[in-house]
């Protein structure tokens, strides 16, 4: 499920269209697009297996059976290598056998499953800012370093927030083993913060519903039909661009009402384009009761939710605890949802948050969590790491321990009573 071109490639064989894996049947469907139909040879190989060769025609679907396949997981990110040959053209690529869906867990709640087993997704919000280059990573190594840092801290998921990264980022997630929730790039006019931030928080806490139909377009900053059409086009382009990456397991079209409109229809558009992934149709609030996820943001008020019979519950943003470290911060201004004055007090604040609020919620039915956030970004000093990535502001052993506790609870395993601070 990744499209990496390598070797000789002329205008004849110009891309693989998709790898669609059927985990339960042990099949991979692939289609190679060319200007004119031509014979194509496909060789699939992997560690400790005899290569599988299949011949067919371009622009037609090829189906390959892998009866004893090796699954992909963050802990074991096994990738099948693919060699395609048509005439003088050669393309090297890869795909993975993995399945992410929602099923009923042993505790009776709807939870996230990976490869037909309960799998808790412990994630962080990743906005991908860099002090030396802003929205573009300074080097390829910088991308891999962020992914590796989070894996070492016990996280297995990144929510890529408010941007689309260069494809190298997703390649590294495939290779290193990191699940990705991918946000669409939201648009619209200037946001009415009093509504989409403050009032929306109160409405969500009190379970007050709100329709994102045309009569509320002004409140959600979506007045222009041309902007809506552009957003729909960009959804199609985003999914086509990233479809083949096995690390991506969830699409997130809207966040906290930013430019939100017709979320149910947008969700169906995404399902039509890609039925293999889950959809968080309205992250945070303005839930239209669609998609696959009851998506909750928790920063201020008491966390309240009821597990549902069809959708899985996820805490798609929480924390945001702030610590500004002189010499490692971009701005004098400090932004965060709770401020601390040392790494020690921040660590104890994190422990208290997980132990008192998050772990009980996971036991009740929360199947994924997203801590805000991976690193500081400008005045947002609520990162696990400083903006320059030089200091981990929360004790690493503490992060690993509590991520382990969340995973055990979220996967309905027998877990110890975690009562100590470290």
């Amino acid at each position: 499920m990744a499209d990496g071109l390598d070797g000789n490639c002329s205008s004849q064989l110009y891309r693989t269209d998709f790898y669609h894996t059927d985990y339960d049947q042990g099949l991979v469907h692939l289609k190679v697009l060319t200007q004119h139909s031509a014979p194509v040879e496909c060789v699939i190989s992997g560690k400790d297996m005899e290569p599988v060769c299949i011949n067919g025609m371009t622009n037609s679907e090829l189906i390959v059976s892998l009866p004893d396949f090796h699954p992909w997981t963050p802990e074991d990110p096994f990738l099948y290598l693919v060699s395609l040959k048509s005439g003088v053209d050669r393309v090297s690529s890869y795909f993975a056998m993995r399945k992410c869906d929602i099923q009923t867990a042993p505790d009776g709640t709807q939870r996230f499953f990976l490869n037909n087993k309960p799998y808790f997704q412990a994630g962080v919000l990743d906005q991908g800012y860099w002090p030396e280059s802003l929205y573009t990573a300074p080097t390829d190594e910088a991308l891999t370093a962020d992914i590796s840092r989070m894996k070492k801290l016990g996280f297995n998921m990144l929510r890529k927030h408010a941007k689309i990264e260069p494809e190298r980022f997703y390649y590294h997630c495939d290779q290193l083993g990191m699940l990705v929730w991918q946000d669409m790039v939201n648009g619209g006019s200037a946001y009415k913060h009093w509504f989409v931030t403050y009032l929306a928080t109160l409405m969500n806490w009190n379970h007050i519903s709100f329709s994102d139909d045309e009569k509320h377009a002004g409140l959600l900053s979506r007045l222009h039909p041309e902007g809506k059409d552009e957003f729909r086009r960009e959804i199609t382009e985003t999914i086509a661009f990233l479809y083949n990456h096995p690390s991506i397991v969830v699409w997130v079209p809207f966040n906290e009402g930013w430019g939100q409109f017709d979320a149910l229809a947008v969700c169906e558009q995404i399902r039509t384009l890609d039925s293999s992934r889950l959809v968080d149709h309205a992250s945070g609030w303005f839930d239209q009761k669609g998609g696959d996820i009851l998506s909750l943001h928790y920063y201020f008020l008491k966390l309240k939710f009821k597990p549902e019979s069809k959708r899985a519950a996820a805490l798609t943003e929480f924390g945001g605890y702030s610590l500004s470290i002189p010499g490692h911060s971009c701005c004098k201004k400090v932004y965060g949802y709770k401020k601390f004055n040392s790494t020690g007090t921040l660590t104890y604040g994190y422990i208290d948050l997980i132990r008192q609020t998050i772990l009980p919620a996971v036991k009740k039915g929360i199947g994924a969590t997203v801590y805000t956030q991976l690193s500081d970004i400008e005045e947002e000093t609520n990162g696990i790491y400083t903006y320059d990535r030089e200091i981990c502001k929360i004790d690493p052993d503490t992060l690993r321990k509590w991520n382990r506790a969340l995973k055990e609870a979220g996967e309905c395993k027998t877990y110890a009573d975690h009562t100590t601070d470290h």
Side-chain angles (χ1 to χ4, degrees):
M1 291 175 66
D3 189 21
L5 302 185
D6 191 15
N8 299 318
C9 186
S10 70
S11 60
Q12 168 66 14
L13 197 163
Y14 62 92
R15 63 168 287 192
T16 48
D17 183 38
F18 67 80
Y19 297 99
H20 176 71
T21 56
D22 186 332
Y23 187 92
D24 294 327
Q25 298 298 319
L27 302 174
V28 58
H29 302 247
L30 97 96
K31 182 184 289 186
V32 180
L33 296 183
T34 55
Q35 288 181 322
H36 307 286
S37 294
V40 62
E41 178 185 270
C42 171
V43 178
I44 297 175
S45 60
K47 184 179 179 182
D48 300 327
M49 67 170 282
E50 290 292 326
V52 176
C53 181
I54 184 171
N55 294 293
M57 298 295 291
T58 63
N59 303 322
S60 297
E61 186 177 73
L62 304 177
I63 302 176
V64 183
S65 176
L66 297 171
D68 298 313
F69 63 83
H70 190 143
W72 183 99
T73 68
E75 294 74 27
D76 182 15
F78 184 89
L79 298 171
Y80 285 92
L81 303 180
V82 180
S83 175
L84 299 169
K85 181 172 69 174
S86 182
V88 299
D89 290 336
R90 305 289 187 275
V91 172
S92 297
S93 187
Y94 64 87
F95 68 91
M97 296 297 289
R98 72 103 184 94
K99 173 185 177 182
C100 183
D101 66 347
I102 292 167
Q103 299 182 35
T104 303
D107 65 354
T109 62
Q110 299 303 300
R111 292 186 182 269
F112 295 89
F113 276 53
L114 185 66
N115 303 336
N116 292 325
K117 297 178 181 178
Y119 191 86
F120 184 82
Q121 299 187 29
V124 292
L125 196 72
D126 179 10
Q127 302 203 57
Y129 276 74
W130 303 88
E132 59 269 72
S133 50
L134 297 180
Y135 238 25
T136 301
T139 63
D140 193 52
E141 290 75 18
L143 290 174
T144 61
D146 265 5
I147 300 165
S148 296
R149 287 187 188 102
M150 293 303 105
K151 282 185 69 74
K152 290 177 182 177
L153 295 176
F155 295 101
N156 56 25
M157 179 260 280
L158 299 176
R159 180 183 168 199
K160 181 51 67 174
H161 188 49
K163 68 179 290 195
I164 308 296
E165 289 284 8
E167 198 165 8
R168 291 291 295 181
F169 168 81
Y170 307 96
Y171 165 81
H172 292 310
C173 289
D174 296 341
Q175 296 277 340
L176 296 173
M178 180 64 77
L179 300 175
V180 176
W181 290 31
Q182 179 61 56
D183 285 22
M184 300 298 174
V185 178
N186 297 135
S189 57
Y191 302 137
K192 293 176 173 56
H193 289 283
W194 64 269
F195 181 74
V196 300
T197 301
Y198 306 112
L199 184 57
T201 301
L202 291 173
M203 291 171 61
N204 185 64
W205 188 70
N206 287 290
H207 302 292
I208 298 174
S209 61
F210 176 87
S211 174
D212 62 3
D213 57 15
E214 189 63 33
K215 65 182 179 182
H216 295 124
L219 289 172
L220 297 179
S221 306
R222 274 294 190 185
L223 293 170
H224 305 295
E226 296 85 359
K228 296 178 183 180
D229 291 342
E230 181 180 41
F231 183 76
R232 294 187 188 98
R233 286 195 303 272
E234 289 182 350
I235 284 178
T236 300
E237 293 167 358
T238 297
I239 292 175
F241 174 54
L242 298 176
Y243 181 88
N244 287 325
H245 289 283
S247 55
I248 300 175
V249 292
V250 177
W251 299 115
V252 186
F254 296 113
N255 177 74
E256 294 186 348
W258 301 348
Q260 182 174 324
F261 70 98
D262 297 337
L264 293 177
V266 168
C267 178
E268 289 310 306
Q269 177 188 353
I270 293 173
R271 290 197 195 285
T272 299
L273 294 167
D274 181 5
S275 62
S276 69
R277 292 183 172 94
L278 302 174
V279 181
D280 179 6
H281 81 307
S283 183
W285 38 79
F286 303 131
D287 182 14
Q288 305 300 299
K289 308 302 180 184
D292 303 290
I293 300 166
L294 170 60
S295 184
L296 309 167
H297 289 187
Y298 168 65
Y299 289 118
F300 301 110
L301 303 173
K302 183 178 179 181
L303 178 59
K304 299 190 304 182
F305 76 98
K306 290 183 179 180
E308 297 185 351
S309 61
K310 293 184 179 180
R311 299 191 300 177
L315 194 55
T316 48
E317 287 186 30
F318 80 100
Y321 283 4
S322 180
L323 170 63
S324 179
I325 297 182
H328 298 275
S329 294
C330 175
C331 311
K332 291 183 178 180
K333 183 179 178 182
V334 175
Y335 178 84
Y337 298 109
K338 190 174 183 179
K339 298 178 182 178
F340 295 85
N341 57 15
S342 70
T343 57
T345 57
L346 174 59
T347 295
Y348 279 105
Y350 177 86
I351 292 170
D352 187 63
L353 173 64
I354 299 296
R355 183 167 53 197
Q356 300 297 327
T357 301
I358 308 305
L359 185 57
V362 169
K363 294 176 183 178
K364 184 180 176 181
I366 292 290
T369 55
V370 179
Y371 182 81
T372 303
Q373 59 184 314
L374 188 152
S375 71
D376 296 348
I377 58 166
E378 301 180 343
E379 75 274 10
E380 292 188 20
T381 55
N382 50 14
I384 294 173
Y385 272 86
T386 52
Y387 198 11
D388 55 17
R389 274 63 163 188
E390 290 188 8
I391 298 175
C392 184
K393 297 189 288 182
I394 301 176
D395 175 65
D397 288 337
T398 296
L399 288 166
R400 284 188 283 267
K401 170 194 169 176
W402 288 100
N403 275 332
R404 189 163 54 248
L406 292 174
K407 290 174 184 176
E408 290 172 355
E411 293 170 9
C412 305
K413 296 177 180 177
T414 300
Y415 49 86
D417 182 16
H418 301 272
T419 56
T420 57
D421 287 341
H422 289 284

